[in-house]
Amino acid sequence: MNEDRLAPMTPLDQMLAQDSLQMLKAAVPYFPADAQRVFALYAKMMELSHTIAMFSGGPAELMMMSEESGTSQPLDILQQLRTYAGESQKEMIDQILFAFHALEILQMPKEPADPLG
């Protein structure tokens, strides 16, 4: 990932984010070098623990984090993925989106010619 830009948090990360863990992860670069690994691993293990707990809650818990059932369209998914993509992936997604839009235009009903005009 490019260091010059900050990608927004994914919906999953937003659900798992806890202020204390976010603060710990933000502080890791300021710890002594030998402590950075320990604290980074601790933060990731806590995230994994929260993820496991969330997914063991059953279908009701999972429905909370899903998009409205059945309403996601491929174009919506591609737009969401584009937010987190690098430059080359963005170009590829843009090409796919362009192709989808071109197909939509080609599938539009043709207006009949005005026989009197």
Side-chain angles (χ1 to χ4, degrees):
M1 186 161 121
N2 188 347
E3 298 281 331
D4 296 338
R5 67 181 172 93
L6 289 175
M9 290 178 76
T10 64
L12 177 62
D13 287 333
Q14 289 172 1
M15 289 186 332
L16 294 172
Q18 293 181 332
D19 291 344
S20 57
L21 280 179
Q22 294 301 101
M23 290 169 42
L24 174 62
K25 291 191 302 187
V28 166
Y30 301 100
F31 291 131
D34 56 338
Q36 288 180 1
R37 175 182 295 167
V38 172
F39 284 106
L41 288 172
Y42 174 74
K44 291 301 180 180
M45 291 301 294
M46 291 305 297
E47 282 184 336
L48 179 59
S49 174
H50 290 118
T51 304
I52 291 169
M54 180 173 49
F55 281 93
S56 14
E61 293 285 328
L62 296 178
M63 287 305 292
M64 279 187 350
M65 66 180 250
S66 4
E67 291 289 323
E68 292 181 31
S69 302
T71 61
S72 295
Q73 298 296 317
L75 294 179
D76 297 333
I77 297 168
L78 286 171
Q79 287 289 4
Q80 181 73 20
L81 292 176
R82 190 182 186 288
T83 305
Y84 307 101
E87 289 306 312
S88 63
Q89 291 91 359
K90 281 184 181 178
E91 288 177 18
M92 188 181 336
I93 291 171
D94 287 343
Q95 290 173 358
I96 295 169
L97 290 171
F98 179 80
F100 268 109
H101 290 302
L103 284 173
E104 286 177 349
I105 291 171
L106 289 173
Q107 292 176 349
M108 285 183 171
K110 304 281 189 261
E111 295 202 18
D114 186 4
L116 302 176

